[in-house]
Amino acid sequence: MLIDKIDQASQKSKQSRLKAAAVLLCAAVLIPLFLLDVFTVDLSRFKETPSQEPSKLTAPANALNEQASPAESPELSGTIDGNMPSQSLSNETISEPSQVPNAAGQTKKEEDDKLRERVKEALAEFDKTYLPSVKALGFDAWNPEAKKEILAKRDKAASQFAQAEYNAALSELKKSEDRAKREIEAYAAAFEKEFKSAQAFYMADDYEAAKWRIDAALKLQPENAGAMQLKSKIDGLPAVLKLIEAATIARVENNLAAEARRLEELIKLDPNRAEHKSRLVQVKESLREEAFAKHIQNGLEHVKNQNLKKAREQLSAAKKLYKTRRELDYFSDQVVRLGRDLKVEKFITDARAAARSDDWVKAEARYAEAGKLVPDKQEVVQGRKLARQIIDATNEVTNHLSSPTRLSSLNVAKLVEGLLNSTRDIQAFSTSLAAKAKQLSNLLDEYSQPIPVRVISDGETFVSVRGVGKVGKVRQKEIKLRPGKYVFEGERAGYKNKSVEITIEPSSFLSKVQVYCDEPI
């Protein structure tokens, strides 16, 4: 920072002055002593080898033989009685006057340091508080002479600070601060006067006067946010006045839509137009009423023509305008009823198509959906009942076809025969059911024809057919069984029992099975 640089320069200047004073003091002490031959320089010592001690400043023998008392020993004591030196000055350092351990001098240095810091802080505070305003472009345009004088006093104070004239710097800086404070307050008051005047003319819709005043205010403070915002409003005032005129004409012509557009544009440019805001609310309410009535009328027309999509659009638009009007209740009921009727019609149409395609699962589902909406509709009730019968019959027939060997059981065969008889009437509505029923009927016929089976044993093993009957102890015997799976079992005393499973295929000519126990216990 500038203050730090000035401080550093001041310190360097002070150090230079102290060094110069020390040199002059040394010269003042040594030169007279040398002239009076108090001490000499032995030049021969410079001829000694590097290992010898360096040359020294030597005093005469009679001076060296004299002893100084302890009270006469300080370094800066140069003479004793008879103006003779108290001791040799060889290798002695003469201290700077400012470093002498003197109580009064030390206090003076501390006071100077504190005063220097005070001036430094005052300069920094001035630069922070007043300098930005004084250096502003608007201030310079308002009173350039004041700016010049304030800055000159401030720079003079900084120069005095650099020369360690601290009291003078503080005095000069106080003058600059007082002048800056007065001028800045006057400058702010001048701006405020022009700004408020511009506001008043703007509120009165006086464009020319407002423009003149705001330009004057911005000349003083070009970057003032409030002034720039007001200028933007004033610049838009001609357009605002033009829109006010257009809205008035539209109102006379009873063109509410045009009037609303002009008023909206106007308020967008100037949101503070309370009178025109109020008028816009009235115009919009009238337009809303007209639009609502039109949506109801058009929506009912769409219901009549069974155009559900358009009717719903009109209902939604009407609800956005008014949510609790009585007209909406009737209109909404009509739309709901139309939607229900169209859904039912669609479900029935899909069910009919599915039935024609022999997809009775889908047909039953569509009839069920329609039944939720119109549970008493005859076609829906009958259609769903037929679909359910066909689905159940198809499932039963399919189950028997997947396990044909069960048809070997007389009980199962009788059950299948009854199933086929009960589905004859509905087979006409499903080609797949009819085909499967015929296939099952053929299997039933095949499994009803007994097949000869030759049983071979050792004559000692008792043979039986599980679930069917006994064969006995035989060596060879032919029996007849319906097609299917059977388990032949053999028993013999002293031997382990044996089981043999065979499958008798339909339409086969002869099957053989060997059953005898040959593994002793």
Side-chain angles (χ1 to χ4, degrees):
M1 292 178 62
L2 177 60
I3 301 303
D4 295 329
K5 291 182 178 178
I6 292 174
D7 193 17
Q8 292 172 6
S10 176
Q11 293 292 336
K12 289 181 179 179
S13 176
K14 184 176 179 180
Q15 292 174 2
S16 297
R17 292 197 302 271
L18 292 175
K19 289 179 180 178
V23 171
L24 291 175
L25 180 60
C26 290
V29 172
L30 295 177
I31 290 175
L33 295 177
F34 181 76
L35 293 176
L36 295 173
D37 200 21
V38 175
F39 72 89
T40 60
V41 178
D42 188 0
L43 298 177
S44 63
R45 299 295 297 271
F46 291 100
K47 297 179 181 180
E48 296 178 358
T49 61
S51 62
Q52 294 175 336
E53 293 182 1
S55 63
K56 298 181 180 178
L57 295 174
T58 61
N62 58 347
L64 294 174
N65 290 332
E66 296 182 9
Q67 297 295 326
S69 64
E72 298 169 337
S73 61
E75 294 178 357
L76 294 179
S77 177
T79 62
I80 58 175
D81 293 341
N83 294 324
M84 296 297 290
S86 62
Q87 61 182 20
S88 173
L89 299 178
S90 302
N91 297 327
E92 295 296 333
T93 302
I94 300 176
S95 301
E96 296 179 357
S98 62
Q99 301 299 325
V100 175
N102 183 282
Q106 185 67 24
T107 303
K108 180 66 167 63
K109 182 178 182 299
E110 289 178 353
E111 290 178 354
D112 286 347
D113 290 342
K114 291 181 179 179
L115 192 56
R116 184 181 66 253
E117 288 300 319
R118 181 181 170 190
V119 177
K120 183 178 177 182
E121 292 174 0
L123 279 169
E125 183 63 24
F126 181 88
D127 290 352
K128 177 181 177 182
T129 304
Y130 301 104
L131 212 55
S133 298
V134 173
K135 287 186 175 181
L137 293 176
F139 188 92
D140 186 48
W142 175 70
N143 194 341
E145 290 300 324
K147 173 184 177 181
K148 183 177 179 181
E149 293 175 9
I150 292 169
L151 293 181
K153 289 182 180 296
R154 187 264 177 213
D155 292 342
K156 184 178 179 181
S159 177
Q160 291 170 334
F161 171 72
Q163 296 174 14
E165 299 174 4
Y166 302 132
N167 288 319
L170 281 175
S171 177
E172 198 67 28
L173 190 61
K174 181 67 168 59
K175 296 176 183 177
S176 180
E177 179 180 339
D178 292 342
R179 180 69 185 277
K181 186 181 299 184
R182 291 195 306 271
E183 297 297 339
I184 289 173
E185 289 176 355
Y187 165 61
F191 167 79
E192 189 68 15
K193 178 181 177 182
E194 297 294 348
F195 180 76
K196 288 188 178 298
S197 180
Q199 277 185 323
F201 284 120
Y202 169 72
M203 296 300 295
D205 290 338
D206 190 339
Y207 169 68
E208 293 298 335
K211 184 177 185 302
W212 177 51
R213 292 298 185 184
I214 196 61
D215 287 343
L218 284 171
K219 186 177 180 182
L220 295 175
Q221 293 190 18
E223 297 181 356
N224 185 278
M228 289 191 290
Q229 185 177 7
L230 180 57
K231 177 175 172 52
S232 177
K233 293 180 179 180
I234 293 172
D235 290 341
L237 189 56
V240 169
L241 297 176
K242 186 177 180 180
L243 288 170
I244 291 175
E245 182 181 2
T248 303
I249 294 173
R251 182 174 183 178
V252 172
E253 295 175 349
N254 197 28
N255 188 343
L256 296 179
E259 184 182 0
R261 287 195 300 272
R262 299 295 180 264
L263 290 173
E264 285 177 343
E265 293 174 15
L266 166 62
I267 293 171
K268 186 176 181 180
L269 290 178
D270 189 356
N272 297 320
R273 297 278 172 172
E275 178 184 352
H276 298 93
K277 277 186 175 180
S278 177
R279 174 58 187 170
L280 179 59
V281 171
Q282 296 175 8
V283 173
K284 284 188 173 181
E285 183 62 24
S286 298
L287 289 172
R288 188 180 295 110
E289 287 285 354
E290 290 182 2
F292 179 77
K294 189 173 182 180
H295 288 316
I296 297 295
Q297 181 181 357
N298 292 340
L300 292 175
E301 190 67 24
H302 290 313
V303 170
K304 182 179 179 181
N305 297 329
Q306 293 193 333
N307 189 336
L308 181 62
K309 180 180 178 181
K310 292 292 184 181
R312 283 176 172 171
E313 290 175 356
Q314 294 298 319
L315 177 61
S316 177
K319 285 183 176 180
K320 287 180 181 179
L321 296 176
Y322 297 102
K323 295 182 179 180
T324 57
R325 295 284 287 268
R326 288 183 296 176
E327 297 94 323
L328 286 174
D329 295 337
Y330 174 76
F331 183 21
S332 180
D333 288 342
Q334 294 299 311
V335 172
V336 169
R337 181 173 297 181
L338 175 61
R340 183 199 63 190
D341 293 344
L342 292 178
K343 275 187 177 180
V344 169
E345 184 177 343
K346 179 67 168 55
F347 287 142
I348 292 175
T349 301
D350 290 347
R352 291 171 181 170
R356 287 193 297 270
S357 301
D358 202 16
D359 186 352
W360 290 95
V361 174
K362 182 178 179 180
E364 197 271 342
R366 294 297 180 269
Y367 279 129
E369 292 294 334
K372 294 177 182 178
L373 300 174
V374 284
D376 298 332
K377 192 174 181 63
Q378 192 65 22
E379 181 180 358
V380 172
V381 174
Q382 295 297 329
R384 187 178 182 185
K385 180 180 178 181
L386 176 62
R388 188 72 263 164
Q389 289 176 339
I390 293 175
I391 291 170
D392 293 342
T394 301
N395 290 336
E396 290 187 50
V397 171
T398 302
N399 289 336
H400 287 298
L401 289 174
S402 63
S403 302
T405 56
R406 295 177 65 249
L407 295 174
S408 59
S409 170
L410 291 176
N411 292 333
V412 175
K414 187 177 293 185
L415 183 64
V416 169
E417 186 176 353
L419 172 63
L420 294 174
N421 290 331
S422 65
T423 60
R424 294 190 188 280
D425 293 338
I426 61 175
Q427 289 179 21
F429 297 99
S430 174
T431 55
S432 61
L433 175 59
K436 289 182 178 182
K438 183 171 181 57
Q439 183 182 357
L440 183 60
S441 179
N442 293 335
L443 282 175
L444 183 62
D445 290 341
E446 291 178 358
Y447 274 86
S448 63
Q449 301 297 325
I451 303 298
V453 178
R454 180 174 296 170
V455 181
I456 301 173
S457 185
D458 56 3
E460 299 295 331
T461 300
F462 185 85
V463 180
S464 63
V465 181
R466 186 185 300 170
V468 178
K470 301 175 182 180
V471 177
K473 295 181 180 181
V474 297
R475 290 187 176 276
Q476 184 171 306
K477 184 176 181 181
E478 185 174 293
I479 62 175
K480 289 186 177 183
L481 297 173
R482 294 164 63 90
K485 288 184 178 181
Y486 296 92
V487 176
F488 286 80
E489 296 177 338
E491 295 180 6
R492 181 180 177 184
Y495 291 84
K496 291 183 179 181
N497 295 344
K498 178 175 287 189
S499 297
V500 179
E501 182 178 323
I502 67 170
T503 299
I504 302 174
E505 299 293 339
S507 304
S508 59
F509 295 103
L510 179 65
S511 294
K512 292 192 302 180
V513 58
Q514 294 183 358
V515 184
Y516 49 86
C517 300
D518 55 358
E519 186 178 353
I521 297 175

